[in-house]
Amino acid sequence: MERPIPDYQANSTAIIDEGVVIGEGSRIWHFSHIMSGAVVGKNCNIGQNVVIAPRVVLGNNVKVQNNVSVYTGVVCEDDVFLGPSCVFTNVINPRSFIDRKAEFKPTLVKKGASIGANATILCGITIGEYAMIGAGCVLTKDVPAYALVVGNPGKQIGWVDKEGNRDFDRE
């Protein structure tokens, strides 16, 4: 039986497991691994050396930059930006000798939100629509829509507009 021609592009070094759904126009770059049960929307860009774990859902137009790990429990709505080397967690108290897969906490990144390079997003958090998470931020709590959050631990320092510009009128 012939395999249908995919309507997405994947580099020959990318690993795409059986049971993955990838939307039309998406691109997957070098050495990335999309695991079984993951859903990648239309027109997404999955950078080099990215891991998309089982049951992760990426909406349409999601940009995942190089070296990002998106673990089970994460849902990114449409138009989300994940900066280089940012990482998500899915267990609050991991131990290698204890199986805590039944304890994965869901993380939701809402439409249009951006997460900067090297940010760490603890599990169980919701990031509001069009929020901006700064580079290197360690996010430990929910973020309201349009909030600008930086630091370790992450602290809201202002607001941004839909285009990501500082919104001084709200401050």
Side-chain angles (χ1 to χ4, degrees):
M1 181 172 175
E2 284 187 41
R3 286 183 137 192
I5 297 172
D7 49 5
Y8 62 87
Q9 297 176 0
N11 183 272
S12 62
T13 61
I15 299 170
I16 300 170
D17 292 348
E18 292 291 325
V20 169
V21 175
I22 301 174
E24 177 183 356
S26 289
R27 294 174 309 281
I28 302 164
W29 296 96
H30 305 77
F31 310 112
S32 289
H33 187 182
I34 316 298
M35 300 174 81
S36 184
V39 175
V40 176
K42 294 178 182 176
N43 299 313
C44 291
N45 189 54
I46 309 297
Q48 181 175 301
N49 196 39
V50 169
V51 173
I52 307 293
R55 298 185 308 280
V56 165
V57 176
L58 302 180
N60 298 323
N61 260 347
V62 173
K63 306 294 187 254
V64 182
Q65 300 301 299
N66 296 346
N67 305 309
V68 174
S69 298
V70 187
Y71 294 117
T72 299
V74 175
V75 172
C76 295
E77 294 182 350
D78 295 348
D79 304 318
V80 165
F81 177 87
L82 304 178
S85 301
C86 75
V87 67
F88 292 86
T89 67
N90 59 7
V91 175
I92 284 291
N93 55 344
R95 294 285 193 217
S96 67
F97 58 92
I98 300 173
D99 182 354
R100 292 200 162 121
K101 290 182 178 137
E103 299 175 29
F104 286 172
K105 294 186 182 282
T107 299
L108 175 60
V109 184
K110 291 195 170 185
K111 180 178 175 63
S114 293
I115 299 174
N118 293 304
T120 300
I121 312 302
L122 297 187
C123 57
I125 289 174
T126 296
I127 299 173
E129 290 183 343
Y130 301 101
M132 178 83 64
I133 310 304
C137 182
V138 177
L139 199 57
T140 61
K141 59 186 178 180
D142 289 350
V143 174
Y146 298 92
L148 174 59
V149 177
V150 299
N152 179 5
K155 178 181 174 191
Q156 184 177 351
I157 63 165
W159 301 97
V160 293
D161 63 17
K162 191 173 181 180
E163 289 76 34
N165 300 308
R166 192 81 182 256
D167 188 352
F168 293 103
D169 292 336
R170 286 187 67 177
E171 295 180 24

